[in-house]
Amino acid sequence: MFDDNDFVCRHMQLTKADIVKVINDKNISSFEALQDETDVATICGSCVADIEEILEEEIAKR
Ligand code: FES
């Protein structure tokens, strides 16, 4: 549903590609760990469901 260059978290200016890269580079498997790395979803929180979906997709590929 997102292209690589689409902003998933507008507040932190993170694209899908940015998020996928952090998830895989740091071998992240929880939302909290992703948040620690990126501060994603710390402003409005409207991106939480989308971030969780991307995280689940990446974990499923392992
Ligand atoms: S869009 Fe991610 S915190 Fe607002």
Side-chain angles (χ1 to χ4, degrees), residues 4 11 13 16 18 25 37-38 40 45 47 49 62:
D4 284 351
H11 282 113
Q13 297 279 290
K16 179 175 180 185
D18 294 331
D25 285 357
E37 287 292 336
T38 61
V40 72
C47 53
R62 290 177 192 164

Side-chain angles (χ1 to χ4, degrees), residues 2-23 31 34-43 47 50-51 54:
F2 286 97
D3 288 330
D4 284 351
N5 294 327
D6 289 345
F7 285 109
V8 182
C9 181
R10 288 172 292 104
H11 282 113
M12 289 300 146
Q13 297 279 290
L14 292 166
T15 63
K16 179 175 180 185
D18 294 331
I19 292 166
V20 166
K21 184 173 189 330
V22 172
I23 290 169
F31 183 82
L34 182 59
Q35 207 163 41
D36 284 348
E37 287 292 336
T38 61
D39 285 337
V40 72
T42 52
I43 308 290
C47 53
D50 293 331
I51 301 290
I54 291 168

Side-chain angles (χ1 to χ4, degrees), residues 1-2 4 16 20 23-24 28 49-62:
M1 87 199 234
F2 286 97
D4 284 351
K16 179 175 180 185
V20 166
I23 290 169
N24 292 319
I28 282 174
D50 293 331
I51 301 290
E52 284 179 335
E53 197 174 309
I54 291 168
L55 178 59
E56 278 170 24
E57 266 175 34
E58 292 308 308
I59 291 170
K61 289 181 194 165
R62 290 177 192 164

